[in-house]
Amino acid sequence: KGLRVRLLLITNPNNPLGTIYPPELMKSAIDWARSRNMHTIVDEIYALSTHDDNDGGFESVLRTLNNDLGNDVHHVWALSKDFGASGLRIGTLYSKNQRLLSSIANLNIFSGVSHPMQMIVSEMLTDDHFIYGFLENSRQRIRYSYELCIARLDEMVIPYIPAVRVSHSFVF
């Protein structure tokens, strides 16, 4: 009581069930936050890990807003989920809010990515052939693991909540 909510955090695709929010819903949520003078952080850490051909198509908020984030929408992404590289601790914050960017500028002193790792990741992310091949292989493996898991649960008559639209491998 008495606390003022200052931001909306949206993970798209959602964790844990992999719900992919359509662009219209994302825009509506951001408009809702803006009408209340709230910032929106959009976490797209699972953006490249969808594996359902009928998932309706994930669309990044960057495309939805035509890269016009304003001062109040901030985008985060990392290598950890899509590339299975959580140990590297490499991610991005994309924002047009100069005050935010200035306030975190000095954090690199404590959590900077080493130069050799920056070079490796830069080479990797600019190699389209590698990226498309890696992600396609990863999606196939995620789909196979998911289908194997739910088939075994079905065989053992163990109830579970399936991933929504099979865009993730989580099963509860």
Side-chain angles (χ1 to χ4, degrees):
K1 188 173 182 177
L3 297 178
R4 184 176 147 238
V5 177
R6 297 178 187 247
L7 70 88
L8 172 64
L9 174 61
I10 304 171
T11 303
N12 185 31
N14 191 284
N15 179 7
L17 294 180
T19 302
I20 296 172
Y21 300 120
E24 305 79 37
L25 181 64
M26 293 295 295
K27 180 79 172 88
S28 178
I30 291 166
D31 289 344
W32 177 86
R34 284 178 169 160
S35 74
R36 288 158 177 77
N37 294 318
M38 296 168 54
H39 284 241
T40 304
I41 298 173
V42 181
D43 179 349
E44 294 185 352
I45 199 160
Y46 294 101
L48 304 175
S49 296
T50 61
H51 60 85
D52 185 354
D53 295 334
N54 302 311
D55 66 11
F58 168 80
E59 181 175 292
S60 174
V61 71
L62 301 176
R63 180 179 298 256
T64 300
L65 297 179
N66 197 28
N67 200 31
D68 185 15
L69 304 182
N71 215 28
D72 57 350
V73 177
H74 319 285
H75 177 271
V76 294
W77 179 81
L79 294 171
S80 59
K81 305 301 182 195
D82 292 332
F83 289 93
S86 59
L88 296 182
R89 301 286 190 221
I90 298 175
T92 64
L93 165 64
Y94 181 64
S95 176
K96 300 212 173 176
N97 184 312
Q98 289 303 311
R99 189 170 169 203
L100 170 64
L101 296 173
S102 294
S103 69
I104 64 168
N106 290 328
L107 291 178
N108 286 337
I109 294 169
F110 303 107
S111 62
V113 178
S114 70
H115 183 15
M117 285 310 305
Q118 289 181 41
M119 292 297 295
I120 290 168
V121 170
S122 174
E123 289 294 318
M124 180 184 80
L125 293 178
T126 56
D127 183 345
D128 290 343
H129 180 73
F130 168 78
I131 294 294
Y132 293 128
F134 178 88
L135 291 175
E136 182 57 32
N137 186 293
S138 178
R139 288 179 187 122
Q140 289 173 0
R141 288 177 181 212
I142 291 170
R143 180 180 296 174
Y144 174 79
S145 296
Y146 177 80
E147 290 173 356
L148 179 66
C149 178
I150 63 171
R152 296 304 176 258
L153 291 172
D154 286 340
E155 283 176 12
M156 295 182 283
V157 193
I158 297 174
Y160 60 91
I161 300 171
V164 176
R165 299 163 74 178
V166 197
S167 61
H168 275 50
S169 57
F170 298 117
V171 178
F172 293 95

